[in-house]
Amino acid sequence: MFDKILIANRGEIALRVIRACREMGIASVAVHSTADSDAMHVRMADESICIGPAAASASYLSVPAIMAACEISGAQAIHPGYGFLSENANFVQIVEDHGLTFIGPTAEHIRIMGDKITAKDTMRKLGVPCVPGSEGGVATLKEAQRIGDEIGYPVIIKATAGGGGKGMKVAQSAADMASAFQNARSEAKAVFGNDEVYIEKYLGAPRHIEIQMFGDGRGGAIHLGERDCSLQRRHQKVFEEAPGPAISTEERARIGKICADAIAKIKYIGAGTIEFLYEDGEFYFIEMNTRLQVEHPITEAIYGVDLVREQIRVAAGLPMSLAQDDLHINGHAIEVRINAERLPNFAPCPGRITQYHAPGGLGVRMDSALYDGYTIPPYYDSLIGKLIVHGRDRTEALARLRRALGELIVDGVDTTVPLFHALLQEPDVQSGDYNIHWLEHWLETNL
Ligand code: ADP
C-alpha cells in the first residue's frame, strides 16, 4: 500500500480523498493555488504545497507543477478527483513515466473514452447498446444533411471532444441543420480546440441513467447499479438519485451485466461510469466517464461501499474488496448540488461565507469544503457542497432531504438551496416522474 498520496484537486473532492487516505493510514499531500492558501483541503491534509497562481491553467492544470510537488513531497501516487487533470491521458502517461501511480484508469482507456466517437465505437463492439447516429465524425454539411435524412429528425450534433454539456446543438428539422451544424462546430472549436462533430438521433423524453462500474484491471469487473441524473440544467446535473425510480431490478441486472462484461473485456481498472439515455425500456450509450463522479456518494450510500478506498486499493495492486454477489441495494439516496449561484440566472456568486452550518443526523452526509469566514474564490467552479441523504425508501429520503435542507445555513453568498426547496414541492419530483427536459421546462415557468 502507498505511504503517501498527492491529491491533484481542491474543494470537496479533495477532502473526500483526504478522508479516505486518513482512514487507510496513508499520508495526504494537498496542492493549492495562491488563491486557495486558506482552503479547507490545505488545512485538512497532512502536508500542502503551493503550485502556482490563481488561474487553474497555471496551478491545478499545470502538469510540471504537480509533478514537482510529487517529487518534493515524496508522494507515490496521485489521485486526480474529478475535473482538472482527471481525464487527461497525457498527464497519466507522464505520471507513469516518472514511476508514480495514477489512481485511475490507464492513459489508453482515458484516450479511448475521451474521444466520443472512439468511445461509442468501442462500446458498440463490446455489445453495449448505443444511440443511432453517424458512424464517425461528420465533416461536411452535405454529409450531415444526408445523415439527418437517414436517421430522421430531430437530431443532435455533438462535439467529439465534448464535455460539460458544451458543443451540442439540436436540429429539429432539415431546415435547422445548416445553422445547428455550424454552431456546434464553432462552439466545439472554441471550447475544446477541436471542431470534429458527430450526429445522433435526438431522443425526445429520455431519462439520464448512468451505471457505476468498477474494474480490477485484470479482467474482473462489477457494477453498482444506476443513478438517475435526469434533473439537469443546460445538460448539467443538479439533483441525482439512486436507485433510479424508473428502473426495475431486472433491467438493472441486465444493463449492469452488459456494462460489467464490457469493461472486464478491456481490463479496465478503477471507477468508471457508463452513461445512457433511457427511453421506452431501452438504454442508449452516450459516453463513459473514466473517473470518480461528483454524484458517487449516492451509490456509496445505497451499497455501503467506499469507492475512493476501492480506487486506492486497486491502484496499489490489491484486489477489489467487493464482489458482485455481495452487493445489495439498501434503501434510497438523493444528492443535491449546492452551488454558489444567484437565481434565477444561476450567475456565479463567489464571496465571503459569514456563517456556515452543515446539516446532520441520521442518513445525512454533507460533502463540502466550506467553513465560517471562508471566502469562495471567483476562479473555479461554483459547486460549494453536496448534500446527500439516505433513507429506507424514496419517501423517507425525500423527507430527510427536506429536513436537512432546512438545517443548512450558508450565509454571505447566494446558493441554489431555494431551488431544491421549491423542487421538493413538485408532485413530479415527489413521484419521480421526470425526464432530461423536465427541469428546463420547470425553470422557464417557475423562476
Ligand atoms: P457531456 O459529455 O457534454 O456531458 P453527454 O453526451 O454526456 O455530454 O450528454 C449530456 C446530456 O445531453 C445528456 O444527459 C442529455 O441530457 C443530453 N443529450 C446527449 N445526447 C442526447 C441525445 N442523443 N438525445 C437527447 N439528449 C441528449
Side-chain angles (χ1 to χ4, degrees):
M1 186 41 73
F2 309 113
D3 302 313
K4 202 184 257 193
I5 291 176
L6 180 140
I7 298 125
N9 216 302
R10 63 184 300 283
E12 69 83 21
I13 194 61
L15 300 194
R16 171 69 189 87
V17 179
I18 292 169
R19 286 174 170 140
C21 289
R22 191 144 297 152
E23 289 180 15
M24 296 173 82
I26 301 168
S28 54
V29 182
V31 293
H32 66 93
S33 68
T34 50
D36 271 344
S37 305
D38 289 335
M40 195 61 174
H41 74 288
V42 174
R43 297 181 175 201
M44 209 192 252
D46 295 305
E47 288 172 49
S48 66
I49 297 178
C50 183
I51 51 164
S57 58
S59 50
Y60 298 104
L61 290 169
S62 167
V63 175
I66 289 168
M67 296 311 298
C70 253
E71 180 88 32
I72 291 163
S73 63
Q76 299 136 330
I78 299 180
H79 195 300
Y82 52 69
F84 293 130
L85 294 168
S86 61
E87 291 174 290
N88 184 318
N90 294 335
F91 174 60
V92 177
Q93 195 59 58
I94 290 167
V95 171
E96 284 170 5
D97 291 347
H98 282 74
L100 301 170
T101 304
F102 178 78
I103 302 175
T106 59
E108 190 205 352
H109 286 154
I110 293 177
R111 206 166 277 130
I112 292 172
M113 298 306 164
D115 177 299
K116 293 189 167 192
I117 292 175
T118 325
K120 235 178 131 172
D121 204 42
T122 307
M123 286 297 175
R124 192 182 297 115
K125 287 180 184 143
L126 288 166
V128 176
C130 296
V131 192
S134 59
E135 290 270 306
V138 179
T140 64
L141 176 60
K142 216 164 150 208
E143 199 187 340
Q145 284 162 333
R146 183 183 60 73
I147 290 161
D149 291 339
E150 207 175 282
I151 59 178
Y153 287 89
V155 298
I156 185 166
I157 301 135
K158 301 169 73 170
T160 310
K166 303 263 165 44
M168 265 188 268
K169 298 288 170 222
V170 178
Q172 291 294 345
S173 67
D176 290 349
M177 185 50 114
S179 65
F181 182 73
Q182 300 306 349
N183 290 344
R185 282 185 61 152
S186 43
E187 191 171 312
K189 180 84 191 163
V191 182
F192 308 109
N194 173 354
D195 67 358
E196 190 180 39
V197 296
Y198 63 107
I199 297 179
E200 279 181 353
K201 176 93 192 144
Y202 183 69
L203 301 175
R207 302 181 77 115
H208 174 113
I209 302 289
E210 57 184 38
I211 311 290
Q212 176 68 55
M213 310 303 310
F214 208 95
D216 66 4
R218 301 169 192 168
I222 54 166
H223 73 86
L224 294 98
E226 78 285 0
R227 296 182 283 259
D228 189 323
C229 313
S230 302
L231 288 176
Q232 301 179 353
R233 176 179 171 268
R234 300 199 173 163
H235 305 301
Q236 303 235 39
K237 302 158 190 171
V238 302
F239 173 114
E240 303 103 348
E241 59 181 310
I247 306 299
S248 68
T249 309
E250 294 72 35
E251 283 175 308
R252 175 175 312 115
R254 178 176 70 86
I255 195 72
K257 184 168 181 341
I258 290 173
C259 293
D261 288 350
I263 72 154
K265 257 181 239 160
I266 60 170
K267 295 198 167 68
Y268 185 84
I269 186 163
T273 299
I274 304 190
E275 296 192 341
F276 294 95
L277 295 177
Y278 172 83
E279 193 171 66
D280 299 330
E282 299 290 337
F283 289 90
Y284 302 94
F285 170 80
I286 46 172
E287 70 163 338
M288 175 162 182
N289 291 316
T290 51
R291 54 168 160 84
L292 195 68
Q293 305 228 167
V294 174
E295 59 274 21
H296 77 276
I298 56 176
T299 300
E300 295 188 319
I302 62 166
Y303 283 100
V305 302
D306 179 339
L307 286 169
V308 177
R309 185 186 184 96
E310 292 302 318
Q311 286 187 299
I312 295 171
R313 279 179 61 92
V314 297
L318 296 172
M320 294 188 280
S321 68
L322 309 166
Q324 193 72 57
D325 290 344
D326 303 335
L327 292 168
H328 303 290
I329 294 178
N330 170 22
H332 197 94
I334 304 174
E335 172 183 278
V336 293
R337 297 194 190 193
I338 296 165
N339 292 348
E341 287 171 355
R342 183 171 298 135
L343 303 175
N345 301 323
F346 295 84
C349 190
R352 186 166 182 272
I353 303 293
T354 51
Q355 198 188 353
Y356 172 65
H357 174 78
L362 184 63
V364 175
R365 166 174 171 183
M366 183 78 194
D367 278 17
S368 169
L370 293 187
Y371 59 84
D372 276 333
Y374 173 64
T375 298
I376 302 166
Y379 312 104
Y380 313 108
D381 82 21
S382 55
L383 181 79
I384 53 168
K386 308 185 316 203
L387 172 56
I388 303 111
V389 295
H390 182 212
R392 283 173 300 182
D393 53 30
R394 192 169 186 275
T395 310
E396 191 173 272
L398 285 167
R400 190 154 283 158
L401 179 58
R402 199 170 295 119
R403 188 269 291 170
L405 280 168
E407 285 178 26
L408 172 65
I409 300 172
V410 182
D411 284 344
V413 299
D414 282 6
T415 74
T416 48
V417 168
L419 169 70
F420 300 117
H421 280 298
L423 287 178
L424 285 170
Q425 305 290 327
E426 287 297 325
D428 288 346
V429 173
Q430 287 165 5
S431 63
D433 185 14
Y434 52 73
N435 60 46
I436 59 167
H437 305 300
W438 189 95
L439 182 58
E440 292 281 3
H441 291 156
W442 185 88
L443 289 170
E444 271 166 31
T445 42
N446 290 275
L447 276 192

